[in-house]
Amino acid sequence: MKTEQLKKDIVAYSREIGIDKIGFASADVFAGLKDRLKRQQELGYQSGFEKGSIEERTEPERLLPEAQSIISIALAYPSRIKDGPKSTKEERRGVFCRASWGVDYHEVLREKLGKLSAFIKEKVPEASMKVMVDTGELSDRAVAERAGIGFSGKNTAMITPEFGSYVYLGELITNLPFIPDTPLEDGCGSCTKCLDACPTGALVQGGQLNAQRCLAFLTQTKGFMPDEDRSKIGNFIYGFDTCQVVCPYNKKIDVHHHPEFEPEPDVAKPKLKPLLRISNREFKNTFGHIAGSWRGKKPLQRNALIALAHYKDETAVDDMIAVMNNDPRPVIRGTAAWSLGKIGTDEAFAAIEAATEKESDEQVMAEMEKGLAFNKFAEKSPSKSVI
Ligand code: SF4
């Protein structure tokens, strides 16, 4: 079968199975990306979550030796929760970033790409293919850019004209020589809204991200959150969306094409206090199916403590004292102590003082000292939720 006709058939089939955008690219080396990644590595700007060597990430032939083309797909996800639960004074809520609402997109995109592979295989039995979604070696964004799915914004997101940057990306490397689609032109122009809005300056310049300073990355780490970033995450317990929210291309974009990505309101915006005492089993049952659970419950609990501090939630003090006194994990005990100090009730300070008598971990002790130091500078006004 001619690849020209096959391409048309694949595009038609992709619509049938609910793929919002599809594009075709050559499997040539991503030379520009290779240089950028080397620079990022030298500068220490990588997150550490990247898979594979720079060569594997930029040379498709290393992943599929007979690679000729890459098919890129995009699925749009919602940006608003319909009738979402409100965070109340009695029951404060955290929030997962939009990319973690609904079922883990890795699974959904892999399933779509699996169907696409089966479709191609049926038409061309000798076709070879390799599927990748986010955690593979290739840069989904670089592939999508080359395949004309969208342009790469200064916020380092893939921006599509139809769905803004609220899209998940995945790709399929193949030995079939498809005619490539045309990349889109850059659409940022002189806009700098995302750079101006980034609270940590992680977007060092248009299109360049220092992942180590990115709040989306910092919410996923397992150690202590850097002091200067704690007040910036607000009620985000996983990921951070500001650089997408401010982007003009995302204005009024709220796509609900896929039932899998519909947010379950109580999961996407969970109550914070119950999160502090959630068991492993409950955590798996409640959050195991969403992308934001991939690092386990510890970072989410640490962030929940910081979010409660952000709200100055006095109703959480008893739960937080229990965590500070009993949790076996130093990061959680220490963050609880810091957050208690931030809330700043007499009970909270007394509990931190008492806990210093029994604590032996040096890092936790340091957090307790920071918590007690808020006694001098306590502000009592509660803060607002970010979403
Ligand atoms: Fe580009 Fe402006 Fe969107 Fe940033 S906010 S990605 S500069 S259009």
Side-chain angles (χ1 to χ4, degrees), residues 366-384:
E367 295 297 326
M368 287 175 167
E369 272 167 37
K370 285 183 216 164
L372 288 171
F374 288 127
N375 209 354
K376 295 173 204 149
F377 316 106
E379 311 156 30
K380 300 275 181 187
S381 58
S383 309
K384 293 204 171 80

Side-chain angles (χ1 to χ4, degrees), residues 240-255:
F240 199 76
D241 280 339
T242 295
C243 65
Q244 296 204 88
V245 172
V246 298
C247 178
Y249 284 95
N250 286 337
K251 210 172 170 194
K252 297 197 180 145
I253 298 284
D254 182 28
V255 178

Side-chain angles (χ1 to χ4, degrees), residues 108-133:
V108 180
L109 268 82
R110 258 187 225 118
E111 196 223 319
K112 303 273 185 213
L113 287 163
K115 282 185 178 171
L116 216 52
S117 308
F119 178 83
I120 296 170
K121 200 86 182 159
E122 204 184 299
K123 305 250 174 201
V124 188
E126 65 275 19
S128 51
M129 284 164 284
K130 190 173 166 102
V131 160
M132 256 172 255
V133 181

Side-chain angles (χ1 to χ4, degrees), residues 141-163:
R141 189 159 51 96
V143 174
E145 190 175 16
R146 186 184 275 180
I149 295 281
F151 68 91
S152 195
K154 288 181 190 171
N155 61 1
T156 73
M158 173 60 21
I159 301 178
T160 67
E162 305 87 343
F163 314 113

Side-chain angles (χ1 to χ4, degrees), residues 124-384:
V124 188
E126 65 275 19
S128 51
M129 284 164 284
K130 190 173 166 102
V131 160
M132 256 172 255
V133 181
D134 179 46
T135 51
E137 290 86 347
L138 280 188
S139 157
D140 300 329
R141 189 159 51 96
V143 174
E145 190 175 16
R146 186 184 275 180
I149 295 281
F151 68 91
S152 195
K154 288 181 190 171
N155 61 1
T156 73
M158 173 60 21
I159 301 178
T160 67
E162 305 87 343
F163 314 113
S165 61
Y166 297 131
V167 285
Y168 298 122
L169 303 170
E171 61 271 338
L172 186 161
I173 315 174
T174 170
N175 63 339
L176 300 172
F178 292 108
I179 298 168
D181 290 320
T182 313
L184 302 188
E185 287 194 5
D186 168 66
C188 285
S190 58
C191 175
T192 57
K193 281 181 192 284
C194 53
L195 279 84
D196 302 338
C198 177
T200 62
L203 290 165
V204 249
Q205 56 175 319
Q208 187 180 29
L209 176 77
N210 176 359
Q212 294 296 324
R213 296 296 307 123
C214 175
L215 289 176
F217 163 75
L218 289 166
T219 59
Q220 299 174 52
T221 57
K222 292 187 176 175
F224 284 102
M225 167 94 49
D227 290 12
E228 68 271 25
D229 299 321
R230 295 180 193 180
S231 61
K232 293 173 185 158
I233 64 165
N235 67 330
F236 272 98
I237 56 169
Y238 179 86
F240 199 76
D241 280 339
T242 295
C243 65
Q244 296 204 88
V245 172
V246 298
C247 178
Y249 284 95
N250 286 337
K251 210 172 170 194
K252 297 197 180 145
I253 298 284
D254 182 28
V255 178
H256 294 259
H257 287 178
H258 307 281
E260 301 94 322
F261 300 150
E262 271 317 304
E264 299 161 71
D266 280 320
V267 176
K269 288 184 77 176
K271 291 176 182 169
L272 290 167
K273 283 180 285 187
L275 204 50
L276 300 185
R277 45 178 186 267
I278 196 167
S279 68
N280 288 342
R281 183 185 290 263
E282 272 177 288
F283 180 76
K284 197 161 177 260
N285 289 342
T286 313
F287 299 105
H289 61 294
I290 65 168
S293 67
W294 80 287
R295 298 281 285 164
K297 67 180 186 176
K298 186 176 161 188
L300 303 180
Q301 289 179 311
R302 177 201 62 184
N303 301 339
L305 287 162
I306 296 171
L308 287 164
H310 159 79
Y311 283 123
K312 297 201 182 301
D313 185 351
E314 296 186 11
T315 74
V317 165
D318 288 346
D319 285 332
M320 292 163 82
I321 291 173
V323 166
M324 175 180 66
N325 288 335
N326 304 316
D327 199 284
R329 299 161 298 177
V331 167
I332 300 299
R333 289 203 306 283
T335 306
W338 179 89
S339 298
L340 279 164
K342 198 83 178 144
I343 292 173
T345 61
D346 292 343
E347 187 194 1
F349 287 127
I352 306 172
E353 285 245 24
T356 57
E357 302 295 320
K358 291 175 281 170
E359 186 57 60
S360 56
D361 185 286
E362 277 182 23
Q363 282 185 299
V364 180
M365 287 292 284
E367 295 297 326
M368 287 175 167
E369 272 167 37
K370 285 183 216 164
L372 288 171
F374 288 127
N375 209 354
K376 295 173 204 149
F377 316 106
E379 311 156 30
K380 300 275 181 187
S381 58
S383 309
K384 293 204 171 80

